[in-house]
Amino acid sequence: MKPPKFAYHAPATVEEALGLLAEHGDDAKVLAGGQSLMPLLSLRLARPEALIDLGGIASLSHIGVDDDVVTIGAMVTERDAERSDIVTRHLPLLAEALPHIGHVAIRNRGTVGGSIVHADAAAEIPAVMVALDASVTVVGPGGERTISAADLFQGHYTTAIEDDEILVDVRIPVTPPSTGSAFVEVARRHGDFALVGVAATVAIDGGLASDCRITLSGVGDRPIRATEAEAALVGKALSDETIALAASAAVAGLHPSSDVHGSATYRKHLAGVLVARALTTAAARATASQGATR
Ligand SMILES: Cc1cc2nc3c(=O)[nH]c(=O)nc-3n(C[C@H](O)[C@H](O)[C@H](O)COP(=O)(O)OP(=O)(O)OC[C@H]3O[C@@H](n4cnc5c(N)ncnc54)[C@H](O)[C@@H]3O)c2cc1C
């Protein structure tokens, strides 16, 4: 099927895009890479009368690092983020997660901002944003505001960003060199959305975990931070035993759905296995980086 008829707008600035959004209201949709929106139009699950393409707004395609914060513009493609030296050096968790998104052809068009606003609960970028305590900058008729990743994702395909707002960038604290991180997932086929994904970081001080983050995707209606499991690990040595206990704590309260790709029981079991795998890898990387800096 082809999309229904729509008017195409190509603003050159964010202000112009906001003006068009205000003018067309609920009849308009912002277009980024189109990798999620265009299929919805072709299936006629969305019927906007106007598309406002952000592709011509140069200011939204910048990646930079300043004051220990990496800023990624909303229109940076998933592929450009994956190939960015700044991301590789300062955000190894994101660098490891990005190649799991679809295929290269998808990542050449799909954008970091589009993935965040689309808010698929199995998507890689939202899970990494939650794990790294990122925040997003949005602009709308009321001006600019910042939303933390913890408050951003509100349910399946739902964020705290209003329809008349545009996401302009995401800000992510630099991962200290002594912190180890790991992103692991299982998908039925290469390029499919994951059944379950886990993003983890571990900082080790004097042989004990001083900070730990665990975020799961694909097991709820949004990325889920396993705060009880994180707290259980802080102050402890990361052994097979403590990691196994943390993995059990991380999945204890999960209620994933069953679908044609996997049952709830399988997803929950898989989540525990992947949490343990991610923590083990992150801890080994933290230990190795300490050896390297000594
Ligand atoms: C075959 C296939 C496989 C895929 N596999 C994966 C996968 O494994 N993992 C994964 O995470 N994703 C996957 N995707 C989705 C891909 O990552 C998309 O690129 C992404 O979800 C949406 O980004 P986009 O730039 O294409 O956004 P678009 O499709 O253009 O937009 C998506 C939504 O976000 C809104 N939006 C976009 N940008 C902004 C902005 N700056 N401000 C406000 N609203 C905005 C749009 O209005 C729309 O509602 C896959 C897609 C395909 C087609």
Side-chain angles (χ1 to χ4, degrees):
M1 257 210 292
K2 297 283 179 216
K5 252 178 127 174
F6 56 81
Y8 173 80
H9 299 275
T13 64
V14 172
E15 293 68 30
E16 209 184 313
L18 284 173
L20 286 161
L21 260 185
E23 187 185 326
H24 293 281
D26 290 346
D27 294 329
K29 262 299 198 191
V30 163
L31 175 68
Q35 298 303 294
S36 296
L37 184 57
M38 292 317 292
L40 288 177
L41 263 60
S42 295
L43 292 167
R44 310 227 166 178
L45 295 171
R47 293 169 169 270
E49 287 173 11
L51 284 189
I52 302 167
D53 186 354
L54 303 182
I57 306 179
S59 63
L60 298 181
S61 294
H62 172 74
I63 304 183
V65 57
D66 202 11
D67 289 338
D68 289 338
V69 174
V70 175
T71 301
I72 303 180
M75 287 301 290
V76 169
T77 64
E78 293 155 346
R79 186 70 170 153
D80 281 345
E82 180 185 342
R83 297 162 109 173
S84 154
D85 287 343
I86 290 176
V87 171
T88 305
R89 191 170 330 127
H90 297 296
L91 303 172
L93 183 64
L94 180 60
E96 190 170 17
L98 286 163
H100 289 283
I101 299 174
H103 302 274
V104 170
I106 306 294
R107 303 198 293 277
N108 276 338
R109 299 290 310 171
T111 63
V112 170
S115 175
I116 291 172
V117 180
H118 188 61
D120 191 304
E124 288 79 5
I125 295 174
V128 171
M129 295 304 112
V130 171
L132 295 182
D133 284 337
S135 58
V136 297
T137 313
V138 300
V139 291
E144 183 178 300
R145 65 188 182 113
T146 301
I147 311 170
S148 71
D151 296 331
L152 180 62
F153 301 104
Q154 299 195 331
H156 285 297
Y157 309 111
T158 309
T159 69
I161 300 172
E162 301 292 343
D163 287 345
D164 57 0
E165 290 181 315
I166 291 174
L167 186 155
V168 290
D169 63 36
V170 52
R171 292 165 193 238
I172 313 161
V174 162
T175 303
S178 56
T179 294
S181 65
F183 185 91
V184 294
E185 70 172 46
V186 167
R188 293 287 298 268
R189 291 175 309 187
H190 169 68
D192 281 5
F193 273 95
L195 284 174
V196 180
V198 175
T201 67
V202 173
I204 294 179
D205 188 8
L208 306 178
S210 56
D211 185 60
C212 178
R213 321 258 182 91
I214 306 164
T215 305
L216 298 101
S217 60
V219 287
D221 67 354
R222 67 194 82 180
I224 296 175
R225 185 95 175 246
T227 46
E228 282 183 26
E230 293 173 0
L233 279 178
V234 171
K236 304 233 170 56
L238 266 69
S239 62
D240 289 350
E241 197 183 4
T242 53
I243 285 175
L245 286 171
S248 298
V251 302
L254 296 180
H255 301 287
S257 321
S258 295
D259 60 22
V260 287
H261 305 296
S263 67
T265 309
Y266 175 63
R267 276 198 161 87
K268 195 160 172 171
H269 169 76
L270 186 58
V273 171
L274 293 184
V275 168
R277 197 176 291 170
L279 285 171
T280 304
T281 304
R285 288 174 176 168
T287 306
S289 73
Q290 290 190 334
T293 52
R294 231 173 248 144

